Amino acid sequence: MPLQEDIQKSEAALAAARDFTEKEAQIATQRASIPQSDIEKLQKYLPDGVDNVQMVLDLNSLASRSGITLSNFGIKENRQSSDNPEDSLMTIQNGKKTDSLDLSVTATGTYASFRTFLYGIEHSLRPLDINQILVSDSKTGVYTYDITFRIYWLP
């Protein structure tokens, strides 16, 4: 009887391998049908790493188009702590965690320009949160905004 059981287990394993191969081929076909431009958008949306320099350049470009000047950039990387794995991590739909960093920056400009800048951030492809905005009073109509962003990426 042990030989019969071994044969049945082997046949079950072969059937599972065939199912896996079929599913793998199906997924590969589906992936191949996704336009490259959509894949690039997804990679921009949630990249597998953070490019601090490019992020600063992108924010500076948006600020320039909005009429805002950026200065005093600071970066603080957030790492998952063993005590509380939910600290500074965003959970995406499939349950996978992301790493993040906090980017602080000082923006200078009018309120209208600042609203345009925020609108651009809101509609950017990269997911980022604004954790804090501190506004300094102004008699000239040009304000100073101290902003802290949280930027996410896949580890």
Side-chain angles (χ1 to χ4, degrees):
M1 222 35 188
L3 183 59
Q4 187 66 22
E5 289 175 11
D6 287 344
I7 291 171
Q8 288 176 343
K9 287 180 183 178
S10 294
E11 287 175 351
L14 285 172
R18 278 191 299 272
D19 290 345
F20 175 79
T21 302
E22 288 174 15
K23 185 66 173 173
E24 184 180 38
Q26 185 181 39
I27 291 171
T29 301
Q30 290 173 342
R31 170 124 177 27
S33 70
I34 300 172
Q36 185 62 31
S37 61
D38 289 351
I39 292 172
E40 290 170 3
K41 285 180 186 177
L42 285 171
Q43 289 170 337
K44 284 182 183 177
Y45 178 73
L46 201 55
D48 59 1
V50 65
D51 183 352
N52 299 342
V53 174
Q54 188 60 50
M55 179 56 70
V56 169
L57 291 173
D58 291 346
L59 284 174
N60 202 38
S61 175
L62 174 61
S64 178
R65 290 190 310 269
S66 303
I68 293 284
T69 303
L70 299 181
S71 61
N72 301 327
F73 289 90
I75 293 176
K76 176 186 165 210
E77 195 163 340
N78 300 311
R79 286 287 179 197
Q80 183 174 352
S81 71
S82 57
D83 298 338
N84 185 359
E86 297 300 317
D87 285 349
S88 73
L89 294 174
M90 177 177 77
T91 303
I92 56 178
Q93 190 171 11
N94 66 358
K96 192 171 185 178
K97 303 293 182 187
T98 61
D99 278 335
S100 65
L101 63 79
D102 289 343
L103 173 68
S104 60
V105 64
T106 300
T108 306
T110 65
Y111 178 69
S113 297
F114 185 65
R115 285 185 50 172
T116 302
F117 178 66
L118 291 179
Y119 180 84
I121 288 171
E122 180 182 5
H123 290 87
S124 73
L125 285 178
R126 283 292 298 269
L128 54 96
D129 294 329
I130 297 178
N131 290 349
Q132 181 178 19
I133 300 176
L134 299 172
V135 182
S136 297
D137 191 18
S138 169
K139 295 183 191 289
T140 65
V142 177
Y143 299 92
T144 300
Y145 309 89
D146 292 311
I147 312 164
T148 303
F149 300 98
R150 177 149 302 154
I151 302 164
Y152 301 95
W153 71 94
L154 294 173

